[in-house]
């Protein structure tokens, strides 16, 4: 039984493009920021393109906030 509200072929193409761009931008930003901080950039970047916004929130708590406490 299919629990999706709409089959994939009924989702407008514009929504698929918007989601793909959003995930790509998020993953790229996390990768570049993690590389600048020296904090496993490939791990964070790959995880950043898998979903929104959980990787960004976890990255903020684990990397960015922990760097602020150390200063």
């Amino acid at each position: 039984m299919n629990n999706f509200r709409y089959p994939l072929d009924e989702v407008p193409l514009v929504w698929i493009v918007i989601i793909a761009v959003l995930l790509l931008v998020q993953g790229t930003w996390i990768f570049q920021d993690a590389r600048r901080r020296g904090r496993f950039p490939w791990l964070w970047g790959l995880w950043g393109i898998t979903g929104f916004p959980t990787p960004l929130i976890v990255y903020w708590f684990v990397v960015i906030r922990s760097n602020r406490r150390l200063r």
Side-chain angles (χ1 to χ4, degrees):
M1 178 170 225
N2 190 352
N3 292 330
F4 293 115
R5 186 167 176 87
Y6 299 103
L8 189 57
D9 59 346
E10 291 183 14
V11 176
L13 181 62
V14 68
W15 283 109
I16 295 173
V17 170
I18 289 171
I19 291 169
V21 168
L22 181 71
L23 290 174
L24 188 62
V25 167
Q26 173 185 269
T28 303
W29 181 84
I30 291 174
F31 172 80
Q32 290 176 347
D33 192 65
R35 184 173 58 183
R36 184 175 57 85
R37 296 174 190 266
R39 301 289 297 256
F40 303 105
W42 286 103
L43 171 76
W44 288 109
L46 288 174
W47 191 37
I49 61 172
T50 62
F52 181 82
T54 305
L56 191 59
I57 293 169
V58 171
Y59 180 76
W60 186 76
F61 278 110
V62 171
V63 175
I64 296 175
R65 280 196 68 178
S66 67
N67 277 355
R68 288 183 182 168
R69 287 188 204 149
L70 296 175
R71 292 180 188 180

